Amino acid sequence: MRTLMCGEVRDDHVGSTVSLCGWVARRREHGEHLAFLDLRDHTGVVQCVVDGAHDLRSEWVVRVTGTVRPRPDGTVNPQLETGTVELGECTVEVLATAEPPPFPLDERAGDVDEVVRLRHRYVDLRRPEMQRNLRTRAAAIAAIRRSMDDQGFLEVETPLLIASTPEGARDFVVPSRHRPGSFYALPQSPQLFKQLCMVGGVDRYYQVARCLRDEDLRADRQFEFTQLDAEMSFAGQEDVLEAITAAVDAVVRTVRNEGIGEVPRTTWREAVDRYGSDKPDIRFGMELVELTDLFSETGFQAFRAGSIKGIRHAGGSESTSRSRLDDLTETCKRWGAKGLVWMRVEAGDDGGTTLVSPVAKFMSAAELAGVADRLGAEVGDVLYLVADDWIRTTHVLGLLRLELGRPPTHEGGLRFLWVVDFPLFEDVDGATGRPVPAHHPFTMPHEEDLDLLDGDAEALLRVRSQAYDLVLNGWELGSGSVRIHRGDLQQRIFDLLGISAEEASARFGFLLDAFRYGAPPHAGFAFGVDRLVALLLGEENIREVIAFPKTQSGTDPLTGAPSELDAPQLADLGLRQVPPPG
RNA sequence: GGUCCCGUGGUGCAGUUUGGAGUGCACGCCGGCCUGUCAAGCCGGAGGUCGCGGGUUCAAAUCCCGUCGGGACCGCCA
């Protein structure tokens, strides 16, 4: 049907007769007997010269047969890959007519209401940007498979209809027709199955896996997303980090034609301490500065707190109005802070600096001098201080740091970071004294922290796990851990978590059973392909790299999902609708 | 569960603060002219439930309340 792609026509083809197929991108008529037709397919656009184009319209699907010829002097278009040539003496065959597109398909389409784009996604996908995104995504996944295959990993498919397990995210569920009243769950990840693969001698497993979580959507979160999921036998943390780094490096080389180099590492504690986040964006500084000790004997009531930290917005004073400061204070309160102390750094009478703040009068000269010194205050800066417990202080300042300093997605390069030594428990329940696991209950504690498992709540919170995250520009790309493969240690963790033998057996008995038949030590990881591809393309939103995404409220404007079931379908599944609560 | 922002011909926007006739801009669409354009150009035309409902008012795109849709974020996402 076609002999060449639109974007492929070059000087080499001059003189040959070719047939091209595509969509009419644009048409420029110059009277009865001359019109230019820009024909588009996914490879690009080429100009066809036709004898009048009155009967052709935008986005019609056509087959054009003509002779490639050089463009006349002065009419070369350097904007086009095909700009030195054109197709002449064209005959045009209309393969399909088309209504005018619902929105412009040129570079202006980026401004169009996303619902309109999603409702007509099939049109949106024709745009060069979307074609680029789809094709980059496919290339990234191909690079992942190549890398994993080369490293001796075996791709194994695991089921989509599985048993629900209550921990973690909310499950999507599917009613069973054969057993009315019973439900399958869709996997939040293939976690348990990949561990079964290890017991099954797969040795190195991977899967480009769809994961489903029924949680609220965000710019970087969809109900369903794609992960590179991997697990390795007879391997520890270093082996996993190395293998995953290689796979990510392969992707970046494919997409960006550059390696990722040595990926720096930080501990979880250091990340939170310095950036107020376990997924720090290290493209910019503005680090959290420790101030607690400066206020150990303060008369300022609000600063009698466990943790006081500050950040410095260099040169921010001029662009930060009083009402902006009030807004930021309110925002910090919404984030959980008791308040926000801001200080403008102004020139002092003695030639030094002075901190101007509504609360400066409650602080001693030594305290103010200490703050200015620690934060490296210079005239024109704004300093922001928060006092609370360590968790809240770092959390709020971490968010404020992003609000004040985060560069746009496409700036600042790619700053990967491994965050290691996550805590095993994120909290200890005040009422029961039971620790709350930070990861899943099969996460291996640090060998040297095992003694702490016998300690009090404070000791438990100090237990580090062999769990690690990969972070890119402030996005959590993925996480993994070394798994517990020994029954006795697993039992101890279950005991600590207050999971009875019956409960453990009911929830993941099949995995514990499997471990009794010879489980190799193993460790694994998974990272989000949508997020990685989006960041590599400079997109702020993973919907841009997903062919058919959902809106933030979880609907699909194209298909109308989710939709209601009719009565016979419900009856077949043994379901009955009840009125919505409220 | 919560905070903030947005909704005006097919598309993008201005108009909303300070109520006064659906007023305007750009693109697209339809018709005409046009033989070297390339976001072609020129002339003409069509196209509107100002998201929806209620309220205030002599009068509402504009003010108030509610609601729907969308987006960003907090919570949530082991």
Side-chain angles (χ1 to χ4, degrees), chain A residues 529-547:
Chain A
V529 171
D530 315 88
R531 288 182 182 177
L532 176 58
V533 173
L535 287 171
L536 291 180
L537 287 167
E539 296 285 6
E540 336 215 313
N541 191 315
I542 63 171
R543 293 187 295 271
E544 298 296 329
V545 299
I546 297 173

Side-chain angles (χ1 to χ4, degrees), chain A residues 339-366:
Chain A
L340 174 69
V341 167
W342 53 261
M343 299 172 160
R344 289 185 192 276
V345 185
E346 298 183 358
D349 301 331
D350 55 357
T353 61
T354 180
L355 301 182
V356 178
S357 168
V359 300
K361 58 180 176 286
F362 301 120
M363 296 180 184
S364 70

Side-chain angles (χ1 to χ4, degrees), chain A residues 427-447:
Chain A
D427 201 3
V428 174
D429 190 301
T432 64
R434 299 288 185 199
V436 180
H439 204 47
H440 58 62
F442 315 111
T443 306
M444 185 74 154
H446 252 270
E447 296 288 347

Side-chain angles (χ1 to χ4, degrees), chain A residues 17 68 77 81 92 140 204 237 246 256 332 343 366 385 389 509 519 526 569 578:
Chain A
T17 298
V68 181
N77 184 353
E81 297 275 337
V92 180
R204 290 185 163 197
Q237 177 167 321
R256 290 274 190 111
C332 285
M343 299 172 160
L385 281 61
D389 57 46
Q569 271 179 301
V578 298

Side-chain angles (χ1 to χ4, degrees), chain A residues 402-423:
Chain A
L402 292 176
E403 169 76 22
L404 295 173
R406 190 173 204 174
T409 310
H410 57 279
E411 286 178 15
L414 300 174
R415 298 296 300 273
F416 286 92
L417 179 69
W418 284 110
V419 181
V420 301
D421 293 351
F422 272 71

Side-chain angles (χ1 to χ4, degrees), chain A residues 6 20 22-30 34-40 45-65 71 80 82 85-87 90-94:
Chain A
C6 297
L20 305 175
W23 286 263
V24 176
R26 210 171 288 279
R27 135 191 98 99
R28 295 175 291 279
E29 290 193 70
H30 288 260
L34 177 66
F36 300 98
L37 214 63
D38 286 344
L39 190 64
R40 180 192 63 233
V45 166
V46 66
Q47 172 167 287
C48 306
V49 184
V50 298
D51 182 12
H54 322 285
D55 47 354
L56 293 170
R57 290 291 184 273
S58 285
E59 299 308 316
W60 282 24
V61 186
V62 296
R63 176 169 184 259
V64 179
T65 302
R71 292 197 185 192
L80 286 182
T82 60
V85 292
E86 65 187 13
L87 217 59
C90 293
T91 57
V92 180
E93 182 183 344
V94 176

Side-chain angles (χ1 to χ4, degrees), chain A residues 80-312:
Chain A
L80 286 182
E81 297 275 337
T82 60
T84 58
V85 292
E86 65 187 13
L87 217 59
E89 297 143 48
C90 293
T91 57
V92 180
E93 182 183 344
V94 176
L95 304 176
T97 61
E99 292 178 21
F103 52 90
L105 291 198
D106 57 23
E107 55 281 1
R108 286 168 294 195
D111 297 330
V112 174
D113 185 346
E114 206 179 331
V115 179
V116 177
R117 289 176 53 205
L118 291 181
R119 187 172 297 132
H120 303 276
R121 191 60 150 182
Y122 39 83
V123 173
D124 193 35
L125 292 177
R126 273 179 220 161
R127 297 167 43 226
E129 290 79 5
M130 293 307 290
Q131 285 288 325
R132 177 200 66 179
N133 290 4
L134 288 178
R135 284 161 204 282
T136 299
R137 182 191 177 104
I141 290 173
I144 286 171
R145 286 211 162 94
R146 263 198 312 279
S147 173
M148 298 307 279
D149 291 344
D150 289 349
Q151 296 187 71
F153 286 80
L154 180 72
E155 181 160 22
V156 179
E157 293 181 277
T158 56
L160 283 177
L161 297 171
I162 66 175
S164 177
T165 54
E167 49 281 312
R170 219 171 278 118
D171 279 327
F172 278 102
V173 295
V174 178
S176 162
R177 177 175 57 83
H178 285 290
R179 290 175 55 183
S182 288
F183 296 83
Y184 300 97
L186 302 176
Q188 297 171 25
S189 77
Q191 181 63 38
L192 298 175
F193 289 96
K194 68 178 176 179
Q195 293 191 249
L196 294 175
C197 284
M198 297 300 97
V199 182
V202 167
D203 198 75
R204 290 185 163 197
Y205 145 97
Y206 84 97
Q207 182 177 191
V208 178
R210 197 68 68 86
C211 304
L212 299 107
R213 297 178 189 173
D214 187 4
E215 296 292 346
D216 289 356
L217 278 43
R218 286 282 200 292
D220 61 349
R221 284 173 12 198
Q222 284 272 302
F223 283 154
E224 43 187 316
F225 56 99
T226 302
Q227 287 197 330
L228 167 67
D229 191 50
E231 195 78 14
M232 305 167 75
S233 294
F234 310 107
Q237 177 167 321
E238 289 305 319
D239 304 292
V240 174
L241 266 50
E242 197 178 313
I244 296 299
T245 301
V248 173
D249 185 64
V251 172
V252 177
R253 280 181 192 283
T254 300
V255 175
R256 290 274 190 111
N257 204 24
E258 62 183 72
I260 62 175
E262 182 83 9
V263 176
R265 291 187 194 183
T266 183
T267 65
W268 173 85
R269 181 156 293 275
E270 187 187 359
V272 175
D273 222 31
R274 288 173 58 187
Y275 299 100
S277 172
D278 59 5
K279 45 178 182 178
D281 189 339
I282 56 170
R283 287 177 299 162
F284 67 109
M286 212 186 272
E287 292 187 23
L288 279 54
V289 174
E290 181 60 54
L291 304 170
T292 313
D293 56 298
L294 294 176
F295 293 91
S296 58
E297 294 176 11
T298 190
F300 184 29
Q301 202 62 35
F303 271 31
R304 294 178 188 267
S307 175
I308 303 166
K309 287 176 182 289
I311 58 175
R312 163 175 171 258

